[in-house]
Amino acid sequence: MQRFVRPQLMLRGSQQTILPTAGQPCRNSISAVPCVRGRGYSVLPPTNDEEEKAMLHRMMRVDHAGEYGANRIYAGQMAVLGCTQTRPLIQEMWDQEKQHLSKFNEILGDNRIRPTLLLPLWNIAGFALGAGSALLGKEGAMACTVAVEESISEHYNSQIRTLMEKDPEKYTELLQMIKEFRDDEMEHHDTGLEHDAESVPGYQLMKAIIQAGCKAAIYVSQRV
Amino acid sequence: MRSLWLDMAALVRGLRAGRVLRGLGSVQGIVSPQCRNVRRGFHRATLLRLADDSKSGTSVPPPSFHEVPTAGESSSSSEPLEDGQPNTSYQDQSGEHGEDYETEEQLQVRILTSALEFVPEHGWTVEAIAAGAETLGLSSASTGMFNNGAGDLVLHFVAQCNAQLAETLAEQHNLVQLGQAESKETAEFLRDAVEMRLRMLIPYIDTWPQAMSILLLPHNIPDSLKHLSTMVDDVWYYAGDRSTDMNWYTRRAALTGIFNTTELVMVQDSSPDFEETWDFLDNRIKDVVNMANTAKQVQATGEALVQGLMGAAITLKNLTGMNQRR
């Protein structure tokens, strides 16, 4: 299981909240997210502008929903194909998605961002999509992966474009993180193609339907 | 001299209307901004004229042109919440004002704060605002600045209480992080936070039903809901909630319910120091904690049950020989 350690980068010109790491156990934290005291930087730049804050929160909310959905899709695929040869492949991609999700959980918790209300829906829909596509065999699962990862990469790209247009200097950290995640998703996309995604019958139709669904999910998660 | 001032006011109004129109994208259901700005200019003119007429040499701050654009506010026109916002006026970007002008929002905040002492006497009404304005040396016609009248006063008070609560919770949070105080259990923390917030109502408890009914007026509901949800979010944040799933919503909904019902109990509580209210609060919090525990137990039981069923199915498959590969 690959684990990449992200170096602690100091954000240029931002507020550094250096919390005293007195080693006191975080008894206050009552959620599933582990306490993240003593981190020296924040991915989102601190801002007082309400509109900018709303935009950043919206972006993080939809990204969080996306990673959550991807997580559930892989869980569904694993449930069906867990006893076959594709298990290690799916496991590897799933682990990376889990890391993405935990990063977004951190960001949402630190910045007091509201998660989308539709999470239970993405829970069920993601699992159903993963399991359903895996029932078509390994090629079906790979086709689903290709379609979803392409949608997510497109979405991250448009977010990168938006941030670059606004102020690349200010959003350096955030841009770096999104670029990293986008590269990971592209890797999954390419892996899916390598493993015979296109040989599933009805590939184009399946891809079109899944991508339409992803677009709708992104649109709705930005607003609810 | 006055005509020159009025010309400048008209010019500024035009410029300001342009800026507000640009910000209209994020505003919902707002009265025509030009209308509001014209009304504002008119009110300030009235203020100045009446103040000049009634008293000479008062310390009335001349109406300033440093007005923060109000894009993003829905119904109420007073913005006591934006005191912390940076002054984005086109005229003066630095925080310093040459001749000690204050913004209209700051003036409104001052008037409303001083109006609070007259609430026990006049209730949550425009008369209280007028009395407050007169204490500051302004004419009672300055109530015209508040389009929402008593609603502005109540919303200002609620915002003030919430800000105080957030400040106290933040201080406690800092003490805990520095190791100078013990962290509390969640239930105890919630109980103390709600009690602290409700105790701020005690000086106004006799007139609070009137305030609650004002908050329930349709045009005040968006603002009062916003205040309530921010307050509940603050309390849970300092209680340590960092959840990013449905728990985020269920916890806040539960606390909103607890807070509202306890508030209702408080307004009709006649026991010494509101003991019955705090007992009620204790019981409600216990209920929520019980429900959360029960939910966890149900989930654990469900999982155990599923595992048992899977085990039984596999045993059956073994017994019938379906699991063998021949």
Side-chain angles (χ1 to χ4, degrees):
Chain A
M1 186 165 109
Q2 54 168 217
R3 290 201 69 82
F4 51 91
V5 179
R6 216 162 276 132
Q8 293 264 344
L9 295 171
M10 303 291 267
L11 182 58
R12 247 181 320 134
S14 83
Q15 304 165 7
Q16 301 281 354
T17 51
I18 311 291
L19 301 171
T21 47
Q24 201 183 41
C26 190
R27 289 194 300 277
N28 263 341
S29 182
I30 52 179
S31 73
V33 177
C35 188
V36 282
R37 276 211 218 145
R39 288 190 328 127
Y41 77 104
S42 160
V43 173
L44 293 192
T47 171
N48 270 334
D49 181 10
E50 287 300 323
E51 269 180 50
E52 189 188 339
K53 205 157 51 161
M55 178 204 76
L56 287 172
H57 283 206
R58 230 188 342 259
M59 283 173 64
M60 290 298 105
R61 183 174 310 133
V62 71
D63 287 348
H64 173 257
E67 294 296 343
Y68 182 81
N71 204 22
R72 296 303 296 158
I73 291 177
Y74 283 119
Q77 288 184 347
M78 188 60 99
V80 174
L81 293 173
C83 305
T84 67
Q85 282 179 332
T86 25
R87 183 195 175 95
L89 183 63
I90 299 178
Q91 185 70 52
E92 190 189 324
M93 295 198 284
W94 192 11
D95 287 338
Q96 278 190 321
E97 298 295 349
K98 282 189 197 154
Q99 277 169 347
H100 292 183
L101 181 63
S102 78
K103 178 68 185 167
F104 279 117
N105 278 337
E106 251 179 59
I107 294 177
L108 257 65
D110 286 342
N111 294 284
R112 298 177 60 170
I113 301 176
R114 168 182 72 87
T116 172
L117 186 58
L118 299 167
L119 280 180
L121 179 61
W122 304 146
N123 186 353
I124 300 175
F127 194 88
L129 176 61
S133 63
L135 285 174
L136 296 172
K138 167 190 156 209
E139 292 79 18
M142 292 298 123
C144 171
T145 303
V146 163
V148 170
E149 301 292 5
E150 201 175 299
S151 286
I152 293 191
S153 303
E154 234 179 81
H155 169 67
Y156 278 147
N157 275 336
S158 77
Q159 285 193 339
I160 292 173
R161 265 195 294 274
T162 313
L163 290 175
M164 294 287 271
E165 273 165 28
K166 281 203 190 304
D167 190 349
E169 297 268 302
K170 191 171 176 191
Y171 299 116
T172 318
E173 278 290 309
L174 184 58
L175 275 169
Q176 191 182 356
M177 183 190 84
I178 298 183
K179 280 181 191 163
E180 230 179 281
F181 287 2
R182 192 253 340 247
D183 294 339
D184 286 341
E185 309 292 0
M186 284 310 291
E187 210 185 293
H188 294 175
H189 173 264
D190 297 336
T191 310
L193 282 176
E194 274 169 40
H195 285 87
D196 309 323
E198 287 160 332
S199 64
V200 72
Y203 170 70
Q204 290 297 339
L205 179 65
M206 191 174 154
K207 187 168 168 205
I209 295 176
I210 293 177
Q211 288 193 327
C214 286
K215 273 205 195 70
I218 290 173
Y219 180 86
V220 170
S221 290
Q222 272 172 336
R223 282 157 183 79
V224 174
Chain B
M1 177 61 187
R2 185 158 294 155
S3 64
L4 177 66
W5 179 82
L6 284 173
D7 284 343
M8 279 179 67
L11 170 68
V12 163
R13 247 177 275 135
L15 284 163
R16 205 176 302 125
R19 277 171 65 221
V20 172
L21 281 171
R22 248 183 282 136
L24 254 184
S26 53
V27 169
Q28 311 149 19
I30 202 173
V31 175
S32 151
Q34 274 157 324
C35 250
R36 263 172 50 199
N37 285 326
V38 166
R39 231 181 298 155
R40 278 223 186 93
F42 176 77
H43 289 316
R44 281 203 301 285
T46 322
L47 232 190
L48 186 64
R49 217 171 292 131
L50 285 172
D52 272 357
D53 286 344
S54 54
K55 304 170 191 172
S56 57
T58 57
S59 57
V60 175
S64 83
F65 304 123
H66 299 69
E67 194 173 85
V68 178
T70 54
E73 284 285 294
S74 47
S75 52
S76 148
S77 68
S78 88
E79 298 91 3
L81 308 170
E82 288 192 22
D83 264 344
Q85 300 284 353
N87 189 345
T88 55
S89 153
Y90 59 89
Q91 246 188 1
D92 192 339
Q93 285 298 331
S94 73
E96 288 173 36
H97 299 225
E99 288 146 58
D100 217 8
Y101 287 163
E102 67 178 348
T103 64
E104 183 173 325
E105 283 71 28
Q106 287 171 337
L107 176 63
Q108 287 182 343
V109 165
R110 279 205 309 144
I111 295 179
L112 291 175
T113 311
S114 65
L116 286 177
E117 8 168 359
F118 297 96
V119 164
E121 188 186 330
H122 296 287
W124 299 91
T125 56
V126 185
E127 282 81 37
I129 304 180
E134 275 167 5
T135 324
L136 293 179
L138 301 167
S139 101
S140 57
S142 44
T143 56
M145 259 204 289
F146 302 101
N147 292 335
N148 205 2
D152 280 339
L153 184 58
V154 179
L155 288 170
H156 165 78
F157 174 68
V158 168
Q160 203 181 43
C161 287
N162 290 350
Q164 223 175 313
L165 176 72
E167 218 179 283
T168 316
L169 289 179
E171 275 172 25
Q172 287 180 358
H173 185 64
N174 280 343
L175 287 180
V176 168
Q177 284 197 321
L178 293 173
Q180 290 170 8
E182 283 295 308
S183 70
K184 297 181 193 165
E185 286 295 319
T186 311
E188 198 193 325
F189 183 93
L190 294 179
R191 191 210 175 284
D192 289 341
V194 173
E195 185 182 334
M196 191 189 320
R197 174 61 179 79
L198 287 175
R199 276 191 184 275
M200 297 180 197
L201 299 179
I202 291 182
Y204 307 96
I205 197 71
D206 294 325
T207 47
W208 194 245
Q210 183 192 16
M212 282 170 68
S213 63
I214 291 175
L215 285 175
L216 284 174
L217 291 173
H219 56 268
N220 286 331
I221 286 185
D223 279 331
S224 66
L225 278 182
K226 191 164 64 122
H227 286 320
L228 181 61
S229 59
T230 328
M231 191 251 306
V232 166
D233 186 36
D234 280 339
V235 171
W236 267 117
Y237 176 74
Y238 289 114
D241 177 42
R242 300 287 181 275
S243 54
T244 50
D245 51 8
M246 275 319 276
N247 276 330
W248 193 96
Y249 289 93
T250 51
R251 284 180 183 161
R252 278 151 185 78
L255 186 59
T256 309
I258 293 174
F259 180 80
N260 283 337
T261 48
T262 315
E263 197 183 1
L264 284 172
V265 167
M266 193 171 169
V267 291
Q268 49 81 53
D269 186 8
S270 51
S271 59
D273 195 36
F274 299 95
E275 285 164 358
E276 282 176 12
T277 309
W278 312 135
D279 286 339
F280 179 87
L281 177 59
D282 275 334
N283 288 337
R284 293 294 72 72
I285 292 196
K286 266 199 212 96
D287 285 345
V288 166
V289 167
N290 274 345
M291 251 196 303
N293 286 341
T294 313
K296 259 187 243 160
Q297 277 180 353
V298 164
Q299 195 184 16
T301 311
E303 276 169 16
L305 202 67
V306 163
Q307 281 190 341
L309 284 174
M310 296 287 279
I314 293 178
T315 312
L316 210 60
K317 279 169 79 175
N318 284 340
L319 286 176
T320 57
M322 274 164 54
N323 255 0
Q324 287 176 355
R325 247 181 293 160
R326 285 196 211 152

